[in-house]
Amino acid sequence: EAQVTQNPRYLITVTGKKLTVTCSQNMNHEYMSWYRQDPGLGLRQIYYSMNVEVTDKGDVPEGYKVSRKEKRNFPLILESPSPNQTSLYFCASGVDRNNQPQHFGDGTRLSIL
Amino acid sequence: ELKVEQNPLFLSMQEGKNYTIYCNYSTTSDRLYWYRQDPGKSLESLFVLLSNGAVKQEGRLMASLDTKARLSTLHITAAVHDLSATYFCAVDDMRFGAGTRLTVKP
């Protein structure tokens, strides 16, 4: 089954404790991206990757890091999480960034205390 | 900077009625996507509109794109309860609107 898998689905942690949210896709997609969803703001793109070893900032990259060492994986790293990063996070993948819609993971709800 | 505005943000409708959700964007683009999100769930692709005048229909939903007006519409015909969800438009598939929360009441 074609899917985008995020882990964990839920996480409560404390300010400053490094965390990683993993994202893996099994569709051989070249394009992957991370979004955060906050009430009234829709989805805002954090980072995206056009291919292995190619990443670029989205609209809200501050406080986040990503890496794309393999085609299937695109982890999101919060080196020193802060309460304003409490949000619902979605990973997505697509054939490319041009003509095809993205496939979204089930989401990760992060609470930073 | 590309801005995407959806209207309305909240929509409560009776079953059987028609309504339109609007998506305006601020810069030139010919790629517009519509997604659906059920409460607590992920986003599901509904329509991909890739050229001026593009129209796509699926069941009771029809989406259109006017690139000259920088406007896309999602028209709901004879709404049913199962259409209750939040609908997002996305320009260039990376800049999303705030979403329209649709509730269809019996």
Side-chain angles (χ1 to χ4, degrees):
Chain A
E1 179 189 351
Q3 57 187 6
V4 178
T5 304
Q6 295 178 228
N7 280 295
R9 293 291 313 282
Y10 304 91
L11 179 63
I12 302 174
T13 187
V14 296
T15 298
K17 186 176 181 182
K18 181 180 178 179
L19 68 91
T20 299
V21 183
T22 63
C23 174
S24 181
Q25 51 96 1
N26 64 0
M27 295 167 278
N28 203 35
H29 285 165
E30 293 194 345
Y31 180 67
M32 298 186 73
S33 59
W34 275 103
Y35 296 86
R36 60 178 289 172
Q37 183 177 19
D38 300 291
L41 297 177
L43 278 78
R44 293 179 292 167
Q45 194 176 55
I46 302 170
Y47 269 94
Y48 64 94
S49 169
M50 301 291 282
N51 212 328
V52 175
E53 301 292 359
V54 179
T55 63
D56 213 340
K57 297 178 180 179
D59 289 332
V60 288
E62 295 77 18
Y64 304 94
K65 286 176 57 176
V66 292
S67 68
R68 187 93 181 273
K69 292 183 170 57
E70 306 165 281
K71 199 171 191 178
R72 63 184 291 124
N73 296 324
F74 191 44
L76 180 70
I77 303 158
L78 285 71
E79 294 266 0
S80 183
S82 62
N84 63 12
Q85 294 176 297
T86 292
S87 187
L88 177 60
Y89 291 85
F90 286 100
C91 179
S93 74
V95 173
D96 57 37
R97 204 182 163 191
N98 294 321
N99 299 324
Q100 301 296 323
Q102 295 182 75
H103 298 257
F104 283 80
D106 287 336
T108 295
R109 188 166 291 281
L110 285 183
S111 294
I112 316 294
L113 304 177
Chain B
E1 179 189 343
L2 173 59
K3 294 186 178 179
V4 182
E5 292 187 357
Q6 278 184 243
N7 287 291
L9 298 182
F10 299 92
L11 177 56
S12 180
M13 3 178 357
Q14 295 291 127
E15 279 191 331
K17 299 292 186 181
N18 304 332
Y19 210 84
T20 300
I21 298 170
Y22 297 89
C23 176
N24 289 91
Y25 53 97
S26 60
T27 64
T28 303
S29 174
D30 56 4
R31 292 180 288 130
L32 195 292
Y33 303 77
W34 284 96
Y35 291 89
R36 168 182 172 145
Q37 184 181 38
D38 292 303
K41 301 292 186 181
S42 186
L43 280 81
E44 170 192 357
S45 174
L46 290 175
F47 299 109
V48 179
L49 305 168
L50 297 176
S51 61
N52 186 41
V55 177
K56 294 209 174 167
Q57 183 163 6
E58 179 77 30
R60 300 175 188 274
L61 300 177
M62 183 174 71
S64 66
L65 178 61
D66 182 344
T67 59
K68 294 178 182 177
R70 297 177 186 170
L71 171 68
S72 180
T73 60
L74 181 65
H75 186 72
I76 303 154
T77 302
V80 293
H81 178 71
D82 284 352
L83 291 179
S84 297
T86 299
Y87 293 86
F88 292 96
C89 64
V91 178
D92 292 343
D93 209 21
M94 58 168 284
R95 194 67 57 84
F96 282 72
T100 297
R101 184 180 293 180
L102 171 64
T103 303
V104 181
K105 298 181 177 179

